[in-house]
Amino acid sequence: MKLPSPKTILLAALASTGVLGFESVEDAARIARTLVQSESIGTLSTTFPEGHALAGESLGLIEYYAPCHNNGSLAVLFFGISLNGKNILASSNHSATFSLQAPPSRSAATKPRLAMMGTFEIFGDKYPQGDELRRCYLKSHPDAWWTPGSHGEGVHGATWARFDPQTIYFVGGFGGAHYIGYIPIDLYRRAVPREAEPDSFERLRIESDK
Ligand SMILES: *[C@@H]1O[C@H](CO)[C@@H](O)[C@H](O)[C@H]1NC(C)=O
Ligand SMILES: *[C@@H]1O[C@H](CO)[C@@H](O)[C@H](O)[C@H]1NC(C)=O
């Protein structure tokens, strides 16, 4: 018999400490996917590596992404020369955290947000679906005047990358009413995002109040 890894047990224990309001963890997974689908800018956080003057400190800066993968992974234009890029390259598994929030409102504390801890797959100049990815990325970011392979020389060695979330922490809003806790990664990957208007998160929550 294959025993679950300590990490699996830890995550299961953490998931069960999630505060359940009227949002179930399934609702939370759907809201998380809807948020990822409807936004295109998040905060990318990394940790400075050993040997750096800031070793162990964290860095968080806004970053573009595009929701071009149907399992909730993110398409990213990766800049190896950026500070976050350097930290990612220095980490053995290219790990980072992407955080997203619903569009700002007068009461941001009541809105869903999430942190996705995961790993980057950096493609260099060998990305098989370049054209498809470019079309998808430009839908989210029409201001991207250059993408890998589009024309001319590359920009600061930028390449396509994919961010695969591995652990998701979700805060639906105020506890008691909303789900606050970890979302099992399989649930997140399988969840189907809704077509979301920028301010539809209120409605999403009301719909889940059965
Ligand atoms: C997510 O989907 C992409 C294809 O769009 C695939 O390459 C990648 O391996 C998937 N990630 C995970 C963690 O399953
Ligand atoms: C990346 O590697 C570090 C150090 O080995 C480990 O602690 C962390 O859990 C890994 N992160 C992911 C997302 O796999």
Side-chain angles (χ1 to χ4, degrees):
M1 193 178 88
K2 194 167 170 287
L3 292 170
S5 73
K7 190 176 173 194
T8 309
I9 293 168
L10 173 69
L11 289 178
L14 289 169
S16 71
T17 64
V19 181
L20 282 170
F22 60 70
E23 268 168 16
S24 65
V25 66
E26 287 80 11
D27 293 331
R30 179 171 47 74
I31 294 169
R33 288 294 302 274
T34 302
L35 193 52
V36 166
Q37 199 66 34
S38 57
E39 294 300 304
S40 58
I41 299 177
T43 300
L44 178 63
S45 305
T46 58
T47 306
F48 288 95
E50 301 255 327
H52 193 282
L54 294 169
E57 302 284 348
S58 61
L59 173 77
L61 288 170
I62 69 155
E63 188 66 67
Y64 280 12
Y65 75 88
C68 298
H69 298 287
N70 60 16
N71 54 10
S73 289
L74 313 181
V76 177
L77 251 181
F78 183 82
F79 288 85
I81 63 155
S82 72
L83 209 43
N84 264 332
K86 284 179 181 160
N87 285 351
I88 290 164
L89 290 172
S91 116
S92 58
N93 49 12
H94 293 166
S95 62
T97 296
F98 233 109
S99 310
L100 300 186
Q101 64 195 51
S105 72
R106 278 201 308 155
S107 184
T110 65
K111 299 279 183 171
R113 59 271 195 187
L114 75 162
M116 300 181 276
M117 289 141 266
T119 51
F120 271 92
E121 176 87 31
I122 299 158
F123 293 107
D125 53 8
K126 294 191 186 59
Y127 195 73
Q129 289 141 322
D131 288 339
E132 202 183 313
L133 189 62
R134 179 175 307 125
R135 271 193 295 277
C136 173
Y137 190 87
L138 288 174
K139 261 195 264 164
S140 296
H141 299 291
D143 55 330
W145 55 270
W146 179 87
T147 56
S150 64
H151 60 272
E153 288 292 302
V155 176
H156 301 309
T159 79
W160 289 123
R162 190 186 66 239
F163 178 74
D164 289 322
Q166 313 287 355
T167 303
I168 309 248
Y169 187 72
F170 178 88
V171 179
F174 289 128
H178 302 286
Y179 182 82
I180 297 178
Y182 292 87
I183 298 176
I185 192 63
D186 291 342
L187 205 55
Y188 170 84
R189 287 185 186 142
R190 283 199 316 265
V192 179
R194 297 263 176 96
E195 288 292 325
E197 299 303 319
D199 63 352
S200 65
F201 291 100
E202 217 55 56
R203 184 163 49 75
L204 269 173
R205 284 203 301 271
I206 292 162
E207 279 174 10
S208 64
D209 184 11
K210 296 186 192 98

